[in-house]
Amino acid sequence: MAIYALSDLHLSFNKPVTLYDVNPDQDIEKPMDVFGWTRHYERIRDGWLRLVGPEDTVLIPGDISWAMKLDVARYDFDWINQLPGYKVMSPGNHCYYAHSKKKVREMLPEGMQWVDADYTLVEGRVVAATRGWMLPGERFFNEEEDRKIYERQVGRLRLALEAAAKEQPGREKIVMLHFPPLTASAKESGFMEVMKEFGVTLCVYGHMHGKAREEAIQGRVDGIDLRLVACDAIDFCPVKLFD
């Protein structure tokens, strides 16, 4: 019963499809070929099927679907649902369909869970999640526009971990963020401070693609293991976190 992680699936099916019957010219709304991700869903499928069993769990921290509306995102979630394992998902910056946590949860097939500003339990471990945001000190951080969103997201992570600490004392804590909690130009953040305060041991995140991956901060920082799990950073294959 292992725990894996894989983010930034960036699916965009426009109709119901199965794992092996996708017509890339007709069934995909936004192909990722322009980014060099040619038929990347096949690579995700093959790697997932090779590693993940029905008793395992896969954490998916954001940018799951390009869909603008929930009734279209359903096609992507239904495709993921055909893959083995239990799926725990949280929002990314492109999850425009996820305005209502309640509605997302009502739509999801059995065996899939949406976590946002709260937490769940996976194999006896707390998994808390929120989207995260661009960090103060980063090149494109706009104090007027981004500060409020950033502080709100830090607060949402705090709410999730406070609830977990109260309701599940003593359990190991994992955090799912979509945005990284540290970058090469932002060496500290409220996300890191909150995670340190509550004794988080592992944080998985996505969002960083292409050349940005080279600047990703990974490994142990202040007692927290940071791992970039964006698809193109890990060869479109779920990475094992725990056996």
Side-chain angles (χ1 to χ4, degrees), residues 33-171:
D33 301 38
V34 66
F35 302 107
W37 294 25
T38 305
R39 297 198 181 193
H40 75 293
Y41 50 89
E42 294 182 350
R43 298 173 67 182
I44 293 171
R45 176 200 66 200
D46 294 345
W48 193 306
L49 291 174
R50 185 172 68 251
L51 295 174
V52 181
E55 302 301 318
D56 298 331
T57 297
V58 181
L59 310 183
I60 311 176
D63 280 7
I64 301 157
S65 169
W66 281 113
M68 301 295 291
K69 297 182 179 180
L70 193 54
D71 59 349
V72 179
R74 178 188 301 272
Y75 302 134
D76 296 328
F77 288 122
D78 285 345
W79 185 86
I80 296 169
N81 190 48
Q82 297 172 62
L83 294 164
Y86 190 78
K87 296 88 179 180
V88 177
M89 302 172 292
S90 56
N93 59 304
H94 290 297
C95 296
Y96 300 115
Y97 53 85
H99 298 298
S100 167
K101 178 167 60 177
K102 180 176 183 292
K103 289 182 179 179
V104 174
R105 288 175 171 172
E106 290 173 347
M107 180 273 297
L108 287 179
E110 185 177 355
M112 303 178 76
Q113 187 173 5
W114 189 262
V115 183
D116 183 13
D118 51 13
Y119 76 92
T120 188
L121 292 179
V122 176
E123 298 299 326
R125 297 175 172 89
V126 164
V127 177
T130 192
R131 180 186 59 195
W133 197 246
M134 193 181 307
L135 305 175
E138 291 188 285
R139 179 181 176 188
F140 296 107
F141 185 88
N142 182 298
E143 187 67 31
E144 183 176 342
E145 296 177 4
D146 294 314
R147 172 65 66 174
K148 186 177 294 185
I149 302 172
Y150 162 76
E151 291 183 350
R152 184 185 304 127
Q153 285 293 316
V154 171
R156 287 165 69 86
L157 179 59
R158 176 176 291 279
L159 286 174
L161 290 172
E162 283 178 343
K166 180 180 179 180
E167 298 164 5
Q168 306 292 338
R171 293 189 186 272

Side-chain angles (χ1 to χ4, degrees), residues 199-215:
V200 171
T201 59
L202 170 66
C203 174
V204 293
Y205 66 91
H207 187 65
M208 304 183 79
H209 304 295
K211 285 192 174 182
R213 299 176 323 199
E214 299 172 7
E215 299 184 358

